[in-house]
Amino acid sequence: MKGLYSALMCSFDEQGKVNEQGLREIVRHNIDVSKIDGLYVNGSTGENFLISKEQKKQIFDIVKDEAGDEVKLIAQIGALNIDEAIELAQFATSLGYDAISAVTPFYYKFEFEEIKDYYTTILEHVDNDLIIYSIPALTGVNMNLEQFGELFEHEQVIGVKFTAPDFFLLERIRHAFPDKLIYSGFDEMLLPASVLNVDGAIGSTFNVNGKRAKQIFELAQSGQIDEAREVQKVTNDLIAEILDNGLYQTIKEILIFKGVNAGLCRKPMKSLTDDGISKAKQIAEKYL
């Protein structure tokens, strides 16, 4: 399960429906062109929190059918409705996903015991491994070392997608739990995370910048820090321009420029203007 995973994008049409052919093309691009090790399906990048349960199932099904066993697959099944999370966990497991992942419950200010019960309850209903999805900036849920330790006590909890800039906590988790998987979740911080010996990373920009991401990770692992720093610098230049133009919309437009039917983002996300589309093409030509 180690390695680099694209936080998979999903192609939607003008009505907000899943564009099956486009989704299949995104999967193939990630496997055949970006050369990633796996796909993280129905995460934030897949616009998961804007779609219905049935659409989530449809996406899980299409991705597994297209990818088969070529790469590892992680299904993000987290939801505020725990019954939905359980149903999605069971569905993805039945399809043969290698692991499930669940974002910490958000919006309401849940106590840690409630968060722990959320994970325990999901795992009581599914025979699969689980990766915690920690993204405090979007969920408002900050867990400390001891709390991660309590979650890791469950034998089915095999690791964490750590999307936070707290490298002190990251180092402490790595030191305390050497046998748990730690995936870095910030593409622009891949190098420092790699230096701290994470097991891999899960990133949005890997959909288009997967090759550079693998370079950074592998160079860092081999101790070639100066070389890795140069690749991270170019990567961060790319990320800065993507963010300035609109993260998900620009990645999709770059994929379209590359011949992939990446479709549109779901509302309330806006579409790129003509200037934004032109800028996305310029970014692709400059960096990719």
Side-chain angles (χ1 to χ4, degrees), residues 67-125:
D69 297 323
E70 293 182 61
V71 295
K72 296 293 185 180
L73 298 177
I74 300 172
Q76 199 294 122
I77 54 83
L80 276 179
N81 183 327
I82 196 165
D83 295 326
E84 176 179 317
I86 291 168
E87 185 176 338
L88 291 173
Q90 293 173 333
F91 182 75
T93 299
S94 72
L95 292 175
Y97 274 70
D98 298 283
I100 58 173
S101 180
V103 67
T104 51
F106 54 91
Y107 187 80
Y108 301 100
K109 295 187 181 298
F110 295 104
E111 297 176 0
F112 174 71
E113 287 306 314
E114 294 171 315
I115 294 170
K116 183 178 179 181
D117 182 67
Y118 161 84
Y119 286 115
T120 301
T121 302
I122 291 171
L123 290 172
E124 285 173 350
H125 292 84

Side-chain angles (χ1 to χ4, degrees), residues 235-247 250 279 282-283 286-287:
T235 289
N236 285 1
D237 288 344
L238 166 64
I239 291 172
E241 293 198 33
I242 288 176
L243 290 173
D244 186 60
N245 199 52
L247 176 59
T250 302
K279 178 61 177 176
Q282 291 172 15
I283 293 170
K286 182 177 179 180
Y287 293 101

Side-chain angles (χ1 to χ4, degrees), residues 112-113 116-117 119-120 132 143-155 157 177 180:
F112 174 71
E113 287 306 314
K116 183 178 179 181
D117 182 67
Y119 286 115
T120 301
I132 299 161
M143 295 187 292
N144 59 36
L145 181 66
E146 291 72 23
Q147 290 169 335
F148 275 111
E150 283 194 45
L151 296 179
F152 286 155
E153 286 177 2
H154 197 298
E155 63 180 9
V157 177
F177 307 104
K180 297 295 182 180

Side-chain angles (χ1 to χ4, degrees), residues 21-55:
Q21 181 56 35
L23 176 55
R24 289 181 182 275
E25 290 180 21
I26 294 173
V27 171
R28 291 260 50 98
H29 182 84
N30 271 287
I31 295 173
D32 300 334
V33 179
S34 291
K35 303 293 185 183
I36 46 74
D37 301 304
L39 300 172
Y40 187 86
V41 186
N42 277 336
S44 306
T45 306
E47 301 167 61
N48 174 77
F49 305 107
L50 301 177
I51 61 178
S52 69
K53 179 179 68 176
E54 292 310 313
Q55 286 178 310

Side-chain angles (χ1 to χ4, degrees), residues 120-137:
T120 301
T121 302
I122 291 171
L123 290 172
E124 285 173 350
H125 292 84
V126 63
D127 182 19
N128 206 341
D129 294 326
L130 181 138
I131 295 159
I132 299 161
Y133 180 11
S134 177
I135 182 166

